[in-house]
Amino acid sequence: LYKLCMRDLLSVERIFDLLHKHLGLAVQFFEDFRHIATGKCAPAFNAQLEMAIDKACMDRQDRQILKMFLTFNESILLTNFFNIDETPGAFAFRLNPAVVLKGRPKSMYPDVPFGIYLVSGRN
C-alpha cells in the first residue's frame, strides 16, 4: 500500500507539472545543485529555498515533493553531472545515506548503507 501511494504521489507527470507551475523555484533548485555539485559550496539544506517553497505552495504534498529537491541537493557527495572532459554515458550520483534516509522508518532501513548510488543512462 505504501509503495502504491508513493508511486501515485511521485509520478513523473505530477513532478513535471509541479516544476512547470513553479518554474522560478526549479531554476533556483538547479542553481543550488550546481553550486554543490561543482564544489562551490558544501552540501547543505537550503533553508532560504525551503521558505520560498512554503510561501509559494499551499498544498502540503506539493511542498513535500519540492522539498525533496532540497534533500537531494543536500545529499550529493559526488557526481559526474558537470564533467567537462567527456560526455558521460550515464549521470551518476553518490548520495549521503544519512541525509537520504533521515526521517524514514528504521524498520524499512535497519542498516544504513555506506553509500547510495543513483545512475541514470541516456536512454
Side-chain angles (χ1 to χ4, degrees):
L1 182 63
Y2 174 79
K3 289 180 182 180
L4 289 173
C5 291
M6 291 305 291
R7 186 181 63 206
D8 291 340
L9 177 65
L10 296 175
S11 70
V12 172
E13 294 81 15
R14 179 164 185 183
I15 295 169
F16 177 84
D17 291 343
L18 191 55
L19 289 174
H20 186 264
K21 183 178 176 181
H22 299 283
L23 196 54
L25 287 173
V27 170
Q28 291 178 65
F29 297 155
F30 184 77
E31 287 304 315
D32 187 50
F33 166 72
R34 180 193 319 259
H35 287 130
I36 292 169
T38 59
K40 290 183 181 173
C41 69
F45 190 83
N46 191 322
Q48 280 186 306
L49 274 176
E50 180 182 36
M51 289 189 303
I53 291 168
D54 289 340
K55 186 176 178 181
C57 293
M58 296 302 119
D59 183 75
R60 185 181 66 80
Q61 289 182 335
D62 287 352
R63 285 194 310 270
Q64 184 179 7
I65 292 168
L66 291 175
K67 288 178 184 181
M68 284 184 205
F69 287 94
L70 303 181
T71 300
F72 176 80
N73 288 353
E74 177 187 13
S75 71
I76 295 170
L77 296 174
L78 188 63
T79 182
N80 66 346
F81 192 88
F82 292 103
N83 185 350
I84 58 173
D85 296 332
E86 62 183 72
T87 304
F91 291 123
F93 304 88
R94 177 166 179 241
L95 307 177
N96 183 340
V99 174
V100 174
L101 299 177
K102 182 174 48 181
R104 302 288 197 275
K106 296 277 187 209
S107 61
M108 291 182 76
Y109 307 98
D111 298 317
V112 176
F114 171 73
I116 295 176
Y117 297 89
L118 171 65
V119 180
S120 180
R122 286 193 223 187
N123 300 333

